Amino acid sequence: MAQQIRTPFSGWSTPLAEIPDEVFARAMLGEGAAIDPTSNELRAPCDGEVTSIAAASHAIALRAPGGAEILVHVGIDTVALGGAGFEVLTRKGKRVHAGDVLLRFDLDRVARRARSLVTPVIVTNSDRFRIVRAAVGRELAAGDVLFEVEEQSAAVAGESADAAPVVSEALVVAHAHGIHARPAGLIARVAKSLPWKMEVRARGRRANPQSAVALMSLGVRGGDELVIVGFEAGAAAGIAEIARVVRELDAQPAHAPASPHPSNSPPRHSLSAPNAPVAVPAGCVRGVIANRGFALGKAAWLDEADIEVPEAGSGAATEAAAFGRAQSVVRDRIATRAGGAAPDLHGILRAHLELLDDPQLVESALEAIRVGKSAGFAWRAAIAASVAELNATGDPRLMERAMDFADLERQVLAELTGTRERRPDIAAGSILVARDLTPSQLVDIDASRLAGIALMAGGPTSHVAILAGTLGIPMLVSLGPSLREIRDGAELVLDADAGLLNAQPDAAALAAARARLESVRARAARERAAAADLCHLASGERIEVFANLAGTEADARRAVEQGAEGCGLLRTEFLFLERTTAPDEIEQRTRYQQVADLMGGRPLVIRTLDIGGDKPIPYLPLPAEENPALGLRGIRTSLWRPELLDVQLRALLGVEPAVRILVPMITEYGEIELVRQRLHALAAELGVPVPQLGAMIETPAAAMLADQIAKGVDFLSIGTNDLAQYGLAMDRGHAELAARIDGVHPAVLRLVEATTRGAAVHSRPVAVCGGLASDPDAVPLLLGLGVTELSVVPGQIARLKAYLRTLTLDDCCRLAERALQMDNAAEVRRLARELEVR
Ligand code: PEP
Ligand code: MG
């Protein structure tokens, strides 16, 4: 029977061939028709399930009940608008009815900025469905039939293959917009002409390269790595052909189809596997590292039944009251839990409390209750709408917050329905396996029983990943659907240092894992025993090993216990966040003094406030900024509001014994000079000696001008987290770039070298207090480049000291010299490992 596809907008309908874009005009994405919209609401062209929403919100795909895949692509080249002017009103996976509004857009704005508004409506599995009648060349109202499709054969573009790949190639998608509709169409067209069974894998997902919709659903963006695999040796030629199309995407003008001729530009390959097939050992699945470590244990599945809720309510007043009660129970429970929680968990639970009472969310639920829905149904719908909004941003960090919403959804529904959430019974030493995990699920589990966590979905910057980090549990995420095949109780080897889960370890793999764990345990015991001694390299040079502190008492105590010789970085932000007024001088001094007392006379470096940008505080309204990371941050905020800086400097000057003051986000000498002048003036006022002053080197500018900056300070401290972010122009919180924002990149190492060279002009010591200081590949390089102090989180100190004692400075210098000449971070890491300086 023919399936009717209705026009999503009112407007003039045209044949695809008349579209000013060859990919659509030549039906590379599939057959269909187009509509030149005069309305701004995209309505579902048929009943079906939403199968994909473009990250730039400009295209939506549906699967009709009979299997036809329908893509509506608003305008031409609208991907370049990056979602501006579009508002998605549905979500992936949602079942919709013909005529439902799925997307709204600003007609004027999009029309002004896009090449054309003409909107193709396409059957992307045209190999299976054909168009039998089309109403083109006429004015149509939204909902009129645009064309009808009929199934022409039972051949379905196959789902992802289960067989093991035989050949593969990894490459980085250089095309700025990733694999959106047009590139997907080009790849699918080429793939359809190839006889081999292949698969494209990216972002933990898989797609049949013959299906443009499946390729789009991978959500691949510019800079992502994808892997093309084949299931027979002959497929290598097909893989090469698809890889060629992907590479050539970069060379295409945004509106032109791919050239049929091979590109002359060199292939771009992944950093982790340059120019080589990706090797995943047999029986292993590759995932994304959320928290490093190694574990061996039995799989413990966390499976939960859905909580069923009726749609119809039993009166608005009753439902509203029930909702209020459930909210209040959940609120009290979270607040109690937050009370005694460690800083990371505390922050997450505070965020949950905010969400639970979020006015928009609550109002949206109440609105549904008012029109007759049950409280549970209304809450679930309100949560779904919020998650759809997060997804529509296309910002992976926001999208990873979906599990926080799921967490609250479940807690409130459990209260409303009286569902007893059973604490999962997990045997000690288990590896938790789940589709995804919410923060409270992890908190509910006795974490001490977990050896590791393996998730099918999820991202490395999600809240639950942060918690796993705090709890010290190795964790891999985005392992993909093959995890479903793991039986409860199966033996697993989770290597969260290499990003691999071995779900079928043979006897040899198990023996190797046991031996590795045993030696890890024995080594940790030895390291702890020697942690209190001062640290010298094997060649005799003294290296100071300090702790980075977040301000809690427990943190400072732990640092001293672990053998910290001082504190190299106390981040003072902890005192300024989550409050309505700034802490005054007395409060600040008291808190700094507490840390100084706990450090027992050891050197204490306290950093002035590094706030602003993406860490707003309510009592310090910053001007709106398009790029907060490049805006008022660190010293820029302090100089913009000098009264805040004065209060902080006064508080610091009052601590005994004197602390060292460190200033973040310096870009030039003038900034440090202004701080120095204030410090001198305030010290004179208070009648105390001027303490040591240091500058953080976190911007390429500061690294290049280190000789000038060093003149005005007593020491330099390199913040490698930011130096890598600004040096490589990659957002440090960007999940997709996480694998590439690597501080051992030769560009960052050269900035470190410029810093130590500049500092040497004035004989100033250089510390590193960013994450690189605890990275075993990086440590010899940093020492070889002239760094003499490392400051790391307390838990790393014993390990780091033991490691440093095995190094000789000559080896480190030789290694660093060679590393500076490498092409990329992967080469540096290979070099560091090959030379085995450790
Ligand atoms: C850094 O940037 O490396 C650093 C230590 O500062 P923060 O991580 O607090 O920005
Ligand atoms: Mg920083």
Side-chain angles (χ1 to χ4, degrees):
M1 212 185 78
Q3 160 88 50
Q4 294 184 326
I5 304 300
R6 299 173 182 280
T7 175
F9 308 103
S10 45
W12 186 260
S13 65
T14 59
L16 278 189
E18 288 178 24
I19 291 187
D21 182 291
E22 267 201 84
V23 170
F24 292 116
R26 289 168 53 195
M28 291 181 195
L29 273 173
E31 301 291 340
I35 187 94
D36 199 357
T38 51
S39 58
N40 71 336
E41 286 182 341
L42 187 164
R43 292 175 180 276
C46 55
D47 291 351
E49 183 187 332
V50 177
T51 53
S52 102
I53 300 174
S57 308
H58 64 297
I60 289 196
L62 299 182
R63 183 174 303 120
E69 308 270 9
I70 311 297
L71 171 73
V72 185
H73 187 283
V74 181
I76 305 297
D77 285 350
T78 36
V79 65
L81 304 186
F86 289 90
E87 185 192 355
V88 176
L89 303 168
T90 188
R91 65 181 154 80
K92 188 170 168 191
K94 187 167 180 192
R95 300 207 166 275
V96 295
H97 296 295
D100 287 355
V101 180
L102 306 183
L103 184 92
R104 194 172 290 134
F105 68 99
D106 183 334
L107 196 65
D108 281 342
R109 185 171 176 193
V110 176
R112 257 184 282 118
R113 298 181 56 195
R115 200 148 63 89
S116 162
L117 263 188
V118 72
T119 294
V121 180
I122 285 167
V123 185
T124 50
N125 49 352
S126 293
D127 50 339
R128 202 178 135 194
F129 291 89
R130 69 195 163 105
I131 302 217
V132 284
R133 263 175 295 279
V136 288
R138 66 189 74 164
E139 190 69 48
L140 294 176
D144 286 350
V145 175
L146 181 61
F147 54 77
E148 287 182 18
V149 292
E150 236 176 43
E151 186 154 13
Q152 53 181 346
S153 86
V156 184
E159 288 289 319
S160 67
D162 286 332
V166 176
V167 277
S168 67
E169 181 171 355
L171 67 162
V172 169
V173 177
H175 187 55
H177 300 311
I179 299 195
H180 56 93
R182 187 196 338 274
L186 292 168
I187 297 168
R189 183 163 151 261
V190 171
K192 278 180 193 152
S193 70
L194 301 170
W196 303 283
K197 191 172 179 184
M198 289 175 287
E199 199 172 74
V200 176
R201 298 177 176 181
R203 297 172 153 237
R205 296 190 279 262
R206 302 164 177 215
N208 175 352
Q210 296 184 351
S211 162
V213 169
L215 287 168
M216 277 189 280
S217 305
L218 293 174
V220 171
R221 304 199 178 170
D224 277 359
E225 178 183 283
L226 60 75
V227 183
I228 310 163
V229 305
F231 301 90
E232 55 191 296
I239 290 174
E241 188 60 6
I242 294 179
R244 179 187 66 75
V245 177
V246 175
R247 282 184 202 114
E248 286 184 357
L249 295 174
D250 195 31
Q252 300 307 308
H255 54 276
S259 149
H261 306 293
S263 157
N264 290 328
S265 59
R268 296 182 180 220
H269 289 279
S270 100
L271 288 173
S272 52
N275 218 358
V278 167
V280 176
C284 289
V285 195
R286 189 178 287 288
V288 173
I289 299 168
N291 191 38
R292 289 183 181 274
F294 183 82
L296 165 68
K298 289 199 169 30
W301 266 99
L302 183 72
D303 261 333
E304 282 182 323
D306 268 355
I307 300 181
E308 302 280 341
V309 287
E311 180 168 348
S314 30
T318 315
E319 296 294 338
F323 176 56
R325 269 196 306 277
Q327 234 187 336
S328 139
V329 174
V330 174
R331 189 185 300 117
D332 288 350
R333 191 188 313 133
I334 299 178
T336 311
R337 192 176 259 175
D344 282 338
L345 178 59
H346 180 84
I348 292 166
L349 294 173
R350 288 291 303 253
H352 282 195
L353 284 173
E354 293 286 331
L355 282 183
L356 184 68
D357 288 317
D358 178 85
Q360 187 184 316
L361 193 62
V362 172
E363 183 46 35
S364 158
L366 291 176
E367 209 175 294
I369 289 174
R370 282 195 286 273
V371 299
K373 306 294 182 197
S374 75
F377 186 90
W379 179 240
R380 179 168 272 165
I383 293 271
S386 298
V387 171
E389 276 172 28
L390 289 187
N391 288 342
T393 63
D395 178 335
R397 277 173 304 165
L398 292 178
M399 290 156 82
E400 284 179 24
R401 298 296 167 260
M403 282 315 277
D404 295 298
F405 281 90
D407 201 336
L408 290 170
E409 174 183 330
R410 198 167 176 93
Q411 292 186 58
V412 171
L413 293 190
E415 266 331 301
L416 281 169
T417 56
T419 308
R420 281 286 132 252
E421 294 280 52
R422 184 168 64 78
R423 193 181 161 118
D425 193 11
I426 288 182
S430 298
I431 293 180
L432 185 78
V433 186
R435 204 194 70 74
D436 210 337
L437 194 64
T438 66
S440 53
Q441 280 172 329
L442 180 54
V443 173
D444 274 344
I445 295 166
D446 180 357
S448 66
R449 306 181 85 78
L450 291 186
I453 300 173
L455 301 183
M456 273 190 235
T461 60
S462 63
H463 276 149
V464 79
I466 294 170
L467 275 185
T470 312
L471 296 166
I473 307 173
M475 176 173 180
L476 289 177
V477 296
S478 282
L479 283 155
S482 63
L483 238 58
R484 262 190 248 282
E485 286 153 29
I486 294 174
R487 282 175 301 99
D488 215 33
E491 201 90 52
L492 302 177
V493 178
L494 182 118
D495 186 347
D497 288 321
L500 291 173
L501 177 76
N502 190 347
Q504 298 156 27
D506 55 19
L510 286 173
R514 281 191 198 106
R516 181 168 163 181
L517 279 175
E518 192 36 54
S519 81
V520 168
R521 275 187 208 118
R523 194 180 57 195
R526 280 197 307 275
E527 288 167 359
R528 269 198 307 278
D533 303 340
L534 290 185
C535 185
H536 293 88
L537 298 185
S539 47
E541 295 80 4
R542 170 89 172 99
I543 302 292
E544 289 173 302
V545 180
F546 284 7
N548 288 350
L549 300 179
T552 63
E553 231 176 83
D555 218 16
R557 280 189 207 288
R558 181 144 187 258
V560 172
E561 274 164 27
Q562 299 280 322
E565 296 162 16
C567 163
L569 171 66
L570 173 69
R571 293 177 166 100
T572 54
E573 293 80 71
F574 76 97
L575 249 175
F576 290 78
L577 296 168
E578 293 184 10
R579 51 192 300 157
T580 49
T581 54
D584 63 15
E585 186 185 322
I586 296 176
E587 181 180 354
Q588 288 194 48
R589 189 183 324 122
T590 310
R591 298 297 295 274
Y592 303 146
Q593 188 63 57
Q594 269 170 4
V595 180
D597 292 345
L598 289 164
M599 292 311 292
R602 294 171 179 82
L604 169 57
V605 177
I606 302 189
R607 183 173 75 180
T608 59
L609 191 57
D610 184 10
I611 202 90
D614 55 352
K615 284 185 249 163
I617 40 181
Y619 50 90
L620 187 63
L622 292 160
E625 293 179 325
E626 284 232 343
N627 286 310
L630 303 180
L632 285 175
R633 228 201 106 172
I635 187 59
R636 302 172 190 177
T637 317
S638 298
L639 294 177
W640 175 66
R641 289 287 300 271
E643 71 282 7
L644 281 180
L645 178 65
D646 271 12
V647 172
Q648 187 165 34
L649 292 180
R650 283 172 159 279
L652 291 169
L653 285 166
V655 180
E656 284 180 343
V659 300
R660 304 177 188 176
I661 297 175
L662 180 61
V663 188
M665 280 297 289
I666 292 292
T667 45
E668 60 194 26
Y669 173 77
E671 292 162 325
I672 212 72
E673 182 53 26
L674 284 171
V675 178
R676 211 169 59 86
Q677 282 171 10
R678 283 313 298 153
L679 199 58
H680 277 257
L682 293 169
E685 239 175 61
L686 297 169
V688 294
V690 179
Q692 285 195 22
L693 180 65
M696 281 200 79
I697 305 295
E698 318 183 78
T699 65
M704 301 316 293
L705 300 179
D707 55 334
Q708 299 175 9
I709 292 167
K711 193 173 51 184
V713 294
D714 302 289
F715 64 98
L716 298 179
S717 184
I718 306 179
T720 49
N721 307 334
D722 276 316
L723 193 60
Q725 154 163 275
Y726 296 118
L728 300 173
M730 291 180 188
D731 185 338
R732 62 191 263 188
H734 199 297
E736 275 72 37
L737 295 176
R740 295 183 57 204
I741 176 165
D742 189 336
V744 301
H745 192 288
V748 184
L749 295 181
R750 287 185 188 204
L751 291 169
V752 172
E753 198 248 351
T755 306
T756 50
R757 200 164 6 96
V761 174
H762 302 281
S763 308
R764 303 290 189 254
V766 178
V768 168
C769 62
L772 225 51
S774 50
D775 178 332
D777 289 343
V779 165
L781 301 168
L782 297 174
L783 302 182
L785 292 172
V787 169
T788 55
E789 176 200 310
L790 298 171
S791 192
V792 299
V793 291
Q796 304 272 2
I797 289 171
R799 188 75 254 277
L800 179 61
K801 283 191 168 183
Y803 177 37
L804 289 168
R805 289 175 180 133
T806 66
L807 302 175
T808 68
L809 191 58
D810 276 354
D811 283 347
C812 294
C813 291
R814 270 196 295 275
L815 176 66
E817 214 169 285
R818 287 185 60 187
L820 292 175
Q821 305 312 319
M822 296 292 122
D823 287 344
N824 56 45
E827 280 187 13
V828 172
R829 289 202 179 273
R830 205 165 28 240
L831 179 77
R833 287 168 199 182
E834 264 169 26
L835 290 196
E836 282 188 351
V837 171
R838 295 166 254 171

